[in-house]
Amino acid sequence: MRPIHPGFVRVTHWLTALAFLALLVTGVEVILSHPRFYWGEVGNVNLAPLFTLPVPASRESVPTGYAVLPDQNGWSRSLHFLAAWLSIATGLAYVFIGWRKRHFGERLVPASADRSWSAIRASIVGHLTGGAAALGDPASYNVLQRLAYLVVVFVLFPLMIWTGLAMAPAFTAVMPISVELLGGRQSARTLHFVITGALCAFVAVHLVMLAIAGFRVRVRAMVTGAPEASR
Amino acid sequence: MNPITRRSLLAGGVVAAGAALTAVGRRLGLVPPDARGPWAAGSTLTYAAHRLFGRHATAREFPKSMVSAKPFANTVAPPTEAFLAHQAANFLTWRLDVQGHVDRPQQFSLADLRAMEVRSQVTEVACEEGWSYIAEWTGTPLAAVLRACGVRPTAKYLVYWSSDPNWWDSIDIDEAMHPQTLMTWGMNGADLPVPFGGPLRIRVPRQLGYKSVKYIDRLLVTDSVAGLGDGTGGANYASGYSWYAGI
C-alpha cells in the first residue's frame, strides 16, 4: 500500500521538527540576554525600545525589575547556528526532492476545486464545527492544511533565514541589501522574533489538529507511512 | 563470513568522504581553531562559508549623521593597578608590543601609532546580546602596524591581548590585514574613552563586538594558535562562544 507520507517527507519532517525545537529553545535563551526590541538600525538600553518583554534578563545591564538569570548565551548561540545549518540542509533537500517528485504540485498546491474563497470558507467552517468527521481523506491534505504548509515552507522559514542572516555582520558585508531591505539591523531582529511567534502559532494549531484527528495514528503515519501498525 | 552490504558501503563512504573533506578543508584554511566538541560542525560550516564567499567583503559603513548620540558600553572588570598607573600618566606610558612572525618586532606608543596612517570609519558595534550602536572610529589600520613590523608569509593568525590578563582573542591573518580592522584610539572626534576601550581597542567590524577587545597592549603574529590557552584561539570556547563571530 502506498505510504500516506513519502519517505523523504517523513525524514525531513522530523529533522526539521528537531532543528526547530533546538532553534526555539536556544533562541528564547538568547532573547533573555536583551529582552527589548527596537526598530531601525541601532538599539540599546540607552534608547527607547519598540517593546519590552516582561521577563527577567540574563545580563545586569538590562534593567527588568527581576533578578538576573544565569548567562547561557555561549552554548545557546553555538547550538542555534548548528541547528540553523541542519534546518537549511534539510529544507533544501526537502524542496529539491519534492520538486523532482512533483510533491508540491500534487499534494500541496490546493486542488482546482478548492481554489476559491467559498471553498476556503467552507473548510474553515468545517474545521470549527465538524470535528474529526470534517477532516476528509487522511491521505490528502485539505485546503487549509495545504495553504498553511505552503506558507510555512515557502514564506515563514525563508523569512527566518533571511532575518537571521541579516543580523550577521559577515553576511551583511557580502550582501548589505539583505538588511537594508528590512529597515536595518534592529528591524531584522524584531522581525526574526515576530516570525518566530507566527511559527509557534502554527505549531500550536498543528498539534491541536493532530490531537483532534487522532494523535497516535497521525504520528505513526508520519513515522512509518502507514496509519495502522502492520500485522 | 559477513557479506559487505550496500548499507555498510554507503556508511563507510560517508565517513571516508567526511574525513577527506575535513583534510581538504584544513589545507584551504576553512577550519577554525575551535573545531572540536559538539559545536564543531556548525562553527566550521559558518567559518568555511565566510572564507569561501566573504573573505574580502567590507562591513557596512554609515553616514556620519547616523552616529548614535547614545552609545552603550558593557561594564568590564575593574582596571588593574598597572592600567590605573597608565591612566594617571595620560597613557603616555602605554605600549603596543608586537612579536612573532615579523621581521622587526617592536613596541609602539600611542604617539607612534597616531603618526602612522590614520583611518576613520563609521561602523556599527553589534553585541551578541542583540543591542547595537554606530560610532565613528579613528585609528591606525592594523595592516599598517603589521607592515611596519614586516609580516612574514608564514603568518596565519594575529593574536591580541588586553591589559586585563584573562581577556585575549585572535583573528586570521586576512582579517588582520583587512582595511577596516583598526587599532582604534579615537571615537566620535575625541580620544577613545576608557569605557569604550581607551586608550587602544582593536575594532573588527565584520564580526560581533566580542572580538573587538578593549585595552590592547600586545600582539602576536603566529602560524598556529594551538599552543595558546586551550588551543581554540581565545578564551571564548570555554564559555561556549565560537572563535569566528561573523554571525
Side-chain angles (χ1 to χ4, degrees):
Chain A
M1 189 182 109
R2 186 187 148 195
I4 287 179
H5 301 295
F8 81 96
V9 168
R10 288 179 272 133
V11 171
T12 55
H13 174 272
W14 292 115
L15 284 176
T16 303
L18 179 69
F20 180 76
L21 183 63
L23 287 163
L24 183 65
V25 168
T26 55
V28 166
E29 179 50 54
V30 172
I31 286 176
L32 290 178
S33 65
H34 200 93
R36 294 159 60 103
F37 290 89
Y38 312 88
W39 194 258
E41 184 63 46
V42 297
N44 56 71
V45 290
N46 292 333
L47 294 168
L50 197 59
F51 61 93
T52 306
L53 297 181
V55 296
S58 60
R59 299 292 159 101
E60 257 174 33
S61 53
V62 183
T64 60
Y66 302 107
V68 178
L69 293 174
D71 171 17
Q72 307 282 350
N73 264 24
W75 66 265
S76 290
R77 287 170 44 84
S78 292
L79 177 54
H80 197 81
F81 302 131
L82 178 63
W85 277 111
L86 173 64
S87 79
I88 286 175
T90 306
L92 287 174
Y94 168 72
V95 167
F96 178 71
I97 300 173
W99 166 65
R100 293 295 303 235
K101 288 182 178 280
R102 298 184 153 90
H103 176 70
F104 302 108
E106 284 171 11
R107 311 212 28 187
L108 280 186
V109 172
S112 41
D114 289 330
R115 287 182 215 160
S116 67
W117 289 115
S118 53
I120 293 171
R121 211 180 309 125
S123 186
I124 295 174
V125 169
H127 273 83
L128 290 172
T129 60
L135 295 180
D137 178 7
S140 170
Y141 302 137
N142 64 60
V143 66
L144 291 186
Q145 271 181 299
R146 292 182 183 223
L147 292 174
Y149 297 156
L150 285 176
V151 167
V152 165
V153 171
F154 292 106
V155 177
L156 297 184
F157 257 89
L159 280 176
M160 286 306 287
I161 295 167
W162 176 6
T163 53
L165 288 174
M167 287 189 272
F171 185 81
T172 58
V174 176
M175 201 181 291
I177 197 167
S178 66
V179 65
E180 286 160 8
L181 274 178
L182 297 173
R185 177 191 175 74
Q186 294 300 334
S187 299
R189 181 171 179 265
T190 298
L191 287 170
H192 198 73
F193 172 72
V194 169
I195 298 165
T196 301
L199 280 170
C200 288
F202 163 78
V203 170
V205 171
H206 183 59
L207 293 175
V208 167
M209 290 296 119
L210 285 173
I212 292 174
F215 198 79
R216 210 170 283 168
V217 168
R218 307 313 307 160
V219 168
R220 191 179 291 125
M222 189 49 96
V223 173
T224 66
E228 271 96 40
S230 50
R231 302 200 190 283
Chain B
M1 184 182 91
N2 289 332
I4 298 173
T5 63
R6 202 155 55 150
R7 188 174 292 180
S8 65
L9 255 180
L10 202 59
V14 166
V15 171
L21 264 176
T22 311
V24 169
R26 276 190 210 282
R27 285 281 275 131
L28 296 176
L30 304 180
V31 181
D34 64 344
R36 63 170 77 157
W39 319 129
S43 50
T44 302
L45 283 168
T46 301
Y47 183 57
H50 156 72
R51 294 287 286 166
L52 288 171
F53 304 114
R55 202 186 309 192
H56 303 296
T58 315
R60 295 160 71 216
E61 295 190 25
F62 301 87
K64 266 188 155 156
S65 56
M66 285 191 69
V67 166
S68 300
K70 297 187 184 173
F72 177 80
N74 258 335
T75 46
V76 293
T80 58
E81 293 269 329
F83 186 90
L84 290 171
H86 285 303
Q87 193 171 13
N90 262 327
F91 297 116
L92 291 169
T93 48
W94 190 271
R95 295 292 178 271
L96 176 69
D97 182 56
V98 185
Q99 302 285 332
H101 287 227
V102 292
D103 292 330
R104 298 173 292 282
Q106 58 190 284
Q107 294 197 337
F108 299 85
S109 68
L110 292 174
D112 293 333
L113 292 174
R114 284 169 187 260
M116 296 170 71
E117 183 188 334
V118 176
R119 184 184 158 94
S120 273
Q121 58 194 34
V122 182
T123 56
E124 187 167 9
V125 171
C127 180
E128 54 90 15
E129 294 168 11
W131 54 266
S132 63
Y133 69 89
I134 294 171
E136 183 186 34
W137 307 95
T138 305
T140 316
L142 178 56
V145 176
L146 296 180
R147 275 194 298 267
C149 298
V151 183
R152 299 209 178 121
T154 46
K156 289 217 178 70
Y157 298 98
L158 185 278
V159 188
Y160 42 98
W161 280 265
S162 170
S163 63
D164 175 338
N166 301 316
W167 200 2
W168 66 281
D169 213 320
S170 57
I171 47 181
D172 63 43
I173 199 68
D174 287 330
E175 189 84 76
M177 299 299 286
H178 191 274
Q180 289 177 314
T181 303
L182 211 59
M183 295 310 299
T184 310
W185 35 258
M187 180 181 178
N188 295 340
D191 286 349
L192 181 64
V194 168
F196 288 94
L200 196 64
R201 176 183 198 172
I202 185 169
R203 274 286 297 140
V204 188
R206 300 190 309 164
Q207 298 192 42
L208 292 176
Y210 68 82
K211 299 295 285 190
S212 292
V213 173
K214 301 174 178 175
Y215 323 123
I216 301 297
D217 62 3
R218 185 154 70 102
L219 303 178
L220 175 73
V221 181
T222 181
D223 60 343
S224 166
V225 292
L228 296 166
D230 62 4
T232 61
N236 298 317
Y237 182 78
S239 354
Y241 290 91
S242 68
W243 171 83
Y244 178 63
I247 187 164

